[in-house]
Amino acid sequence: MAEDRVNVMRGYKATLHNPNTSQQAKQHAQSVLDDELGGDQPSEDVHNAQSGDKDPMRVAAGYKAAQHNPNVTDEGKRRAKEGLEHVPQE
């Protein structure tokens, strides 16, 4: 299942970013990601499978929250505003 592959990928990506992990372990993790897990394809598969299941009200709430969050950049707020314009209204 694609979601299982994504979870395995997450573990290897965490290894790559962990400062306490040896260089040998990081090389192995990168090798597995590149050669066995197909790069970013599993996460794209999961995204495509789940994209139709999102509640438009929750999506709109996320965009609105981003517009009012002081930690979001001006660019992020602009994109949230644009995204909100494309959310289907019920």
Side-chain angles (χ1 to χ4, degrees):
M1 173 174 244
E3 289 182 44
D4 294 333
R5 291 177 64 200
V6 170
N7 289 333
V8 171
M9 180 187 293
R10 287 180 181 139
Y12 284 114
K13 286 186 175 185
T15 299
L16 293 175
H17 296 287
N18 184 340
N20 298 321
T21 303
S22 70
Q23 195 60 34
Q24 182 181 5
K26 289 181 181 186
Q27 289 173 349
H28 173 73
Q30 188 64 57
S31 173
V32 172
L33 284 168
D34 293 341
D35 300 335
E36 297 176 29
L37 295 176
D40 285 335
Q41 188 60 42
S43 61
E44 290 175 15
D45 292 344
V46 170
H47 174 74
N48 291 337
Q50 294 175 342
S51 63
D53 296 339
K54 294 183 180 176
D55 179 6
M57 184 181 295
R58 302 287 18 135
V59 172
Y63 283 135
K64 288 177 184 178
Q67 289 178 315
H68 298 286
N69 185 335
N71 296 322
V72 174
T73 64
D74 289 338
E75 172 66 16
K77 290 179 182 184
R78 183 188 63 75
R79 288 191 297 172
K81 182 179 180 183
E82 290 175 3
L84 185 58
E85 293 171 357
H86 293 97
V87 175
Q89 303 296 318
E90 293 183 18

